[in-house]
């Protein structure tokens, strides 16, 4: 707050972060564009006028960059995230604006299809949705215990010991859905640890070493090393964030909250300033959804594509109308 104390400093810092000395036209890619008197830039080749925020998450924003930077700092420094109501009070914007800002910031955390997990990988699924016993009798649904997905949304997660997490919302937890995801992200020949669920017995046939613990028999660790406590720890933290900070999240936006928590986990070794600086460089990257879309061609990551397609269509409707 001391450093970014006025809008010009924010713009200058962001432009330096984005281009250094060499301003590049976001429209045609021409280098060394000239600066205009009003602080914007003009391309010498295609005559396109642009600012330092063109094509980034701050594109066409009515909110000051000071507010954005503060919101980014709060999101990156708080372990359990910040709610839109908190941003509303801290940045003095409306709650609707704060909610929108937070989702834009969350889009910086999107997981990539290229993450590779290897070594020892723990995997597990969790189900998010209210407990039936806590609901009013008129709102209860029969037969939703355990792995039922009638009222709950399944999330599948994998964590490499001492490494990164990959987690995503899935339509169901059948082998046909989960196995392609495993082959996409976990390197062949890795050792996998899971609970006793039937679907995981397919892992051996798919080229993985597989060991499991039997949770239903109250067995949580086998031979000192075989357990799924890493991924269980991630779920525990994810649940705390949803219950204590966000209280309630819609199914449609769930993947973004997962992405946010995965990002926190994967950058857990970074200091607050390192993480803030990483977010800054992500924000300075141009948002080219068309590029992202061509990346995914595997069925297993269909949901990533769906989610990005949705973002892309929203973005297109807003900017290309
Ligand atoms: Zn140009």
């Amino acid at each position: 707050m001391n450093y970014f104390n006025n809008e010009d400093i924010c713009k200058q810092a962001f432009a330096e972060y984005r281009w250094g000395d060499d301003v590049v036209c976001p429209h045609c890619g021409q280098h060394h564009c000239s600066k205009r008197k009003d602080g914007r830039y003009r391309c010498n080749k295609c005559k396109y006028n642009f600012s330092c925020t063109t094509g980034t998450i701050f594109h066409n924003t009515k909110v000051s960059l000071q507010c954005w930077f503060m919101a980014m700092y709060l999101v990156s420094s708080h372990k359990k995230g910040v709610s839109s109501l908190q941003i509303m009070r801290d940045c003095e914007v409306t709650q609707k604006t704060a909610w929108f800002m937070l989702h834009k910031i969350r889009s910086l955390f999107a997981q990539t299809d290229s993450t590779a997990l290897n070594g020892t990988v723990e995997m597990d699924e969790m189900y998010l949705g209210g407990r039936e016993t806590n609901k009013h009798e008129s709102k209860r649904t029969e037969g939703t215990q355990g792995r039922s997905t009638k009222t709950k949304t399944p999330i599948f997660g994998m964590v490499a010991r001492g490494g990164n997490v990959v987690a995503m919302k899935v339509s169901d937890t059948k082998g046909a859905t989960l196995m392609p995801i495993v082959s996409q992200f976990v390197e062949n020949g890795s050792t996998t640890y899971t609970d006793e669920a039937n679907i995981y017995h397919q892992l051996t046939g798919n080229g993985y070493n597989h060991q499991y613990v039997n949770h239903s028999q109250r067995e949580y660790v086998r031979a000192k090393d075989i357990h799924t406590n890493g991924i269980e720890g991630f779920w525990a933290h994810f649940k705390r964030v949803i219950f204590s900070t966000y209280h309630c999240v819609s199914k449609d936006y769930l993947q973004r909250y997962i992405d946010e928590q995965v990002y926190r986990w994967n950058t857990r070794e970074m200091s607050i300033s390192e993480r803030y600086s990483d977010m800054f460089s992500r924000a300075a990257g141009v948002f080219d959804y068309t590029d992202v879309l061509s990346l995914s061609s595997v069925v297993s990551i269909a949901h990533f594509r769906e989610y990005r397609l949705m973002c892309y269509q929203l973005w297109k409707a807003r900017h290309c109308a």
Side-chain angles (χ1 to χ4, degrees), residues 94-122:
T94 63
Q95 193 248 336
K96 215 170 157 181
T97 306
W99 185 89
F100 183 71
M101 286 167 78
L102 280 173
H103 270 300
K104 281 266 187 175
I105 293 172
R106 269 180 212 119
S107 67
L108 300 177
F109 303 141
Q111 298 175 69
T112 61
D113 306 334
S114 57
T115 313
L117 306 176
N118 51 31
T120 304
V121 182
E122 297 174 18

Side-chain angles (χ1 to χ4, degrees), residues 24-31 33 42-50:
V24 182
C25 168
H27 193 244
C28 70
Q30 167 79 4
H31 287 252
C33 296
R42 185 173 175 79
C43 173
N44 305 325
K45 195 176 159 197
C46 70
K47 312 297 175 203
Y48 179 61
N49 295 315
F50 58 95

Side-chain angles (χ1 to χ4, degrees), residues 8 11 34 65 92 108 152 156 168 188 191 226 228 249 259 304:
D8 289 336
K11 280 184 183 161
S34 26
L65 282 183
E92 293 172 344
L108 300 177
K152 290 175 282 188
F156 180 61
M168 65 191 74
N188 230 297
T191 302
I226 302 167
T228 56
V249 300
D259 286 348
F304 272 134

Side-chain angles (χ1 to χ4, degrees), residues 82-89 94-95 98-99 102 106 246:
V82 276
S83 65
S84 54
L85 281 165
Q86 191 62 49
I87 295 289
M88 173 184 93
R89 289 186 284 264
T94 63
Q95 193 248 336
W99 185 89
L102 280 173
R106 269 180 212 119
Y246 300 123

Side-chain angles (χ1 to χ4, degrees), residues 262-276:
V262 167
Y263 176 78
R264 277 208 188 93
W265 178 283
N266 291 348
T267 56
R268 63 196 181 280
E269 306 274 311
M270 288 185 188
S271 66
I272 291 176
S273 60
E274 279 171 340
R275 194 181 298 130
Y276 187 52

